[in-house]
Amino acid sequence: MELKKSPDGGWGWVIVFVSFFTQFLCYGSPLAVGVLYIEWLDAFGEGKGKTAWVGSLASGVGLLASPVCSLCVSSFGARPVTIFSGFMVAGGLMLSSFAPNIYFLFFSYGIVVGLGCGLLYTATVTITCQYFDDRRGLALGLISTGSSVGLFIYAALQRMLVEFYGLDGCLLIVGALALNILACGSLMRPLQSSDCPLPKKIAPEDLPDKYCIYNEKGKNLEENINILDKSYSSEEKCRSILANGDWKQESLLLKNPTVTHTKEPETYKKKVAEQTYFCKQLAKRKWQLYKNYCGETVALFKNKVFSALFIAILLFDIGGFPPSLLMEDVARSSNVKEEEFIMPLISIIGIMTAVGKLLLGILADFKWINTLYLYVATLIIMGLALCAIPFAKSYVTLALLSAILGFFTGNWSIFPYVTTKTVGIEKLAHAYGILMFFAGLGNSLGPPIVGWFYDWTQTYDIAFYFSGFCVLLGGFILLLAALPSWNTCNKQLPKPAPTTFLYKVASNV
């Protein structure tokens, strides 16, 4: 079914509005999970490393399951997936209020809510891209701020709800708010199909030779008919002999085979042979697609800038994601008094992330700015800020560092630019899918590793030195790989195969 041309407006702005609120409602609690993290530590008495798995799974599962999310949206459409995922997110949050132990939260909050968020992100991005073409960048930029605004508001909201209604009441209310995703999903009206007639189905015998991987149609068809002739003759011969017991009839059948071969079996055998050949060619074509995919993947990793980018994004998420989860506990461990808190540190990270996305995206549009070097600069500054956290012993210094970390976490807005510059627009979807998978892996591993460091040393100092070192290492590796070959990295890759692969990914910001 063909879709109408993207209207670039009209009902598309309703899609942007509801997609913004969908990301606001689904990502608000998982990104502001640092407030709940402190409550879970007190409620279950588990180690910081084990407890941190809850928030890290909620952020990482959606990215790790990107292929599944894309398949669901492609198969069922954005509206059904949004409504179903709304039930998942709301149900997971409400179910978490009844969690008897931390392991139950791994499933209810980490996996159910995380997978629901991944599905919702893919659905909102997909339907927005369908409604916008010329203004697609603006539309995607508007809906992507929904998660950052959600982090800013939900950090303060969840703290207030915990004070008034307790942890269980907070999760029930937040889950009830997430049910508004169903209303947003009902407004995601798909584009109507065009009036163009569907393409005529091609019969196997009319299949052009250009779609055959091996031009052996005549030969294969003849071989298949011969095989069927032999099997058919043997079957008829044995059936006649067993039925009549006449051994002389066997010689008669061999002398005059045309007696048993009527026009109807001949036509049937020809159709079966043609269908068999068509299936064989389809299987060969699928196998060739998989070979091309593997070949393109190997070619991507032969590009040293892409390989460095893959290492950098993995290390960045291992070291850069934990502050959004652990910053509140860092303040409590530094003996910062609650009356000094003008605004939750996680809220500062959230609002500065939105500002960073906007300003860094604007900077990336200037032709005189090298986007790769800009991305490297954000990694280096962020790594230095992480290493400075152990020296912060007051709310003001922690708030300043949170603002710096939040602003440079907004480098997610320029990451697609960097990927495009590295591999080219024709391989962006393939490369971005691979990088987002490893980003999800880093999101899942980062907070537990930092929490384990605290469990071993009873201080966050070494943990954040480790986080800062990871981000700095990724930045310097990417810088060294890009310096000699930034202008020629695209030429190192072979020309893309005619087959293209389309991936839609989930994201956590």
Side-chain angles (χ1 to χ4, degrees):
M1 181 176 65
E2 295 183 5
L3 299 178
K4 287 185 176 179
K5 185 181 181 298
S6 301
D8 277 304
W11 192 261
W13 295 118
V14 177
I15 298 296
V16 170
F17 179 79
V18 297
S19 297
F20 172 89
F21 275 100
T22 297
Q23 293 199 22
F24 171 85
L25 293 167
C26 74
Y27 276 111
S29 181
L31 290 181
V33 73
V35 175
L36 304 177
Y37 171 76
I38 298 176
E39 302 299 325
W40 287 329
L41 284 174
D42 297 336
F44 300 114
E46 298 286 354
K48 295 181 186 293
K50 184 183 293 187
T51 307
W53 271 110
V54 181
S56 63
L57 284 174
S59 298
V61 165
L63 290 174
L64 291 172
S66 293
V68 177
C69 298
S70 300
L71 180 62
C72 291
V73 175
S74 299
S75 302
F76 303 106
R79 176 189 278 174
V81 169
T82 300
I83 294 175
F84 175 77
S85 302
F87 279 114
M88 284 187 66
V89 174
L93 290 170
M94 294 180 180
L95 198 61
S96 299
S97 65
F98 302 100
N101 51 54
I102 198 69
Y103 301 102
F104 189 88
L105 284 174
F106 290 164
F107 169 75
S108 62
Y109 198 98
I111 296 178
V112 176
V113 176
L115 184 58
C117 290
L119 287 167
L120 287 170
Y121 182 86
T122 305
T124 54
V125 170
T126 300
I127 195 167
T128 302
C129 289
Q130 291 175 357
Y131 269 87
F132 288 89
D133 187 10
D134 296 334
R135 299 178 180 178
R136 183 176 295 171
L138 173 62
L140 291 176
L142 289 174
I143 69 170
S144 67
T145 58
S147 58
S148 300
V149 176
L151 170 58
F152 172 70
I153 294 178
Y154 268 76
L157 176 64
Q158 291 186 145
R159 171 175 287 184
M160 182 183 67
L161 291 176
V162 168
E163 291 177 357
F164 282 99
Y165 304 104
L167 177 61
D168 297 343
C170 171
L171 288 170
L172 284 173
I173 294 173
V174 171
L177 288 175
L179 287 174
N180 289 285
I181 296 173
L182 307 182
C184 295
S186 65
L187 294 175
M188 291 183 179
R189 185 173 66 196
L191 281 176
Q192 298 177 356
S193 59
S194 64
D195 297 330
C196 300
L198 294 175
K200 184 180 178 181
K201 187 176 180 181
I202 301 176
E205 59 268 18
D206 299 330
L207 187 70
D209 290 339
K210 67 179 181 179
Y211 292 108
C212 301
I213 297 175
Y214 304 100
N215 290 323
E216 300 177 357
K217 184 172 182 179
K219 181 179 177 182
N220 287 339
L221 205 58
E222 184 179 352
E223 290 177 355
N224 291 331
I225 293 177
N226 290 338
I227 292 173
L228 287 172
D229 282 340
K230 292 179 182 179
S231 62
Y232 184 82
S233 299
S234 301
E235 183 180 353
E236 287 293 321
K237 179 173 64 177
C238 294
R239 187 181 301 170
S240 177
I241 292 171
L242 291 175
N244 301 325
D246 189 358
W247 298 95
K248 294 181 180 180
Q249 190 175 357
E250 177 183 0
S251 59
L252 180 61
L253 290 173
L254 292 174
K255 290 180 181 178
N256 192 14
T258 57
V259 175
T260 59
H261 288 263
T262 62
K263 183 177 181 180
E264 183 176 353
E266 284 289 345
T267 304
Y268 172 76
K269 286 186 296 178
K270 184 176 180 181
K271 288 185 177 180
V272 171
E274 289 173 345
Q275 292 176 2
T276 302
Y277 168 76
F278 181 79
C279 292
K280 287 171 63 177
Q281 291 298 320
L282 184 62
K284 290 177 182 179
R285 183 170 177 78
K286 290 292 184 182
W287 174 249
Q288 191 65 32
L289 291 178
Y290 293 136
K291 287 178 64 178
N292 291 342
Y293 176 83
C294 294
E296 286 188 4
T297 303
V298 172
L300 285 173
F301 280 99
K302 286 182 179 179
N303 180 348
K304 59 183 179 181
V305 178
F306 177 81
S307 298
L309 194 61
F310 135 72
I311 296 173
I313 192 65
L314 177 63
L315 293 176
F316 167 73
D317 279 276
I318 289 176
F321 178 65
S324 63
L325 175 61
L326 304 173
M327 211 61 181
E328 297 293 323
D329 192 49
V330 170
R332 187 171 69 169
S333 301
S334 301
N335 298 320
V336 177
K337 297 179 181 180
E338 291 189 7
E339 53 268 20
E340 297 180 14
F341 277 76
I342 302 173
M343 182 185 297
L345 297 176
I346 298 179
S347 294
I348 296 175
I349 292 176
I351 195 64
M352 291 305 297
T353 300
V355 174
K357 286 180 179 179
L358 179 61
L359 294 183
L360 291 174
I362 293 174
L363 287 175
D365 286 334
F366 289 106
K367 295 182 179 180
W368 53 271
I369 291 182
N370 190 309
T371 315
L372 179 64
Y373 293 151
L374 177 62
Y375 185 75
V376 169
T378 63
L379 294 181
I380 294 175
I381 297 174
M382 190 171 181
L384 294 175
L386 286 168
C387 292
I389 288 178
F391 300 99
K393 301 299 180 183
S394 66
Y395 173 79
V396 175
T397 53
L398 285 173
L400 179 61
L401 290 174
S402 297
I404 295 173
L405 292 173
F407 181 85
F408 289 106
T409 301
N411 62 6
W412 278 97
S413 65
I414 64 173
F415 189 72
Y417 287 79
V418 177
T419 309
T420 304
K421 194 92 173 182
T422 303
V423 302
I425 189 63
E426 66 279 351
K427 291 193 175 184
L428 174 62
H430 188 184
Y432 201 72
I434 295 173
L435 293 173
M436 287 301 98
F437 175 84
F438 287 103
L441 185 63
N443 273 355
S444 300
L445 295 178
I449 291 175
V450 172
W452 288 331
F453 271 113
Y454 183 92
D455 293 336
W456 293 335
T457 62
Q458 295 303 309
T459 178
Y460 276 115
D461 293 355
I462 296 181
F464 280 99
Y465 288 144
F466 169 79
S467 296
F469 174 76
C470 286
V471 178
L472 285 171
L473 179 62
F476 282 117
I477 289 176
L478 183 57
L479 179 62
L480 291 175
L483 279 176
S485 58
W486 175 240
N487 294 324
T488 59
C489 59
N490 290 333
K491 298 179 182 179
Q492 296 175 2
L493 289 175
K495 295 186 73 174
T499 305
T500 58
F501 300 90
L502 179 62
Y503 294 86
K504 306 179 188 71
V505 298
S507 175
N508 69 317
V509 290

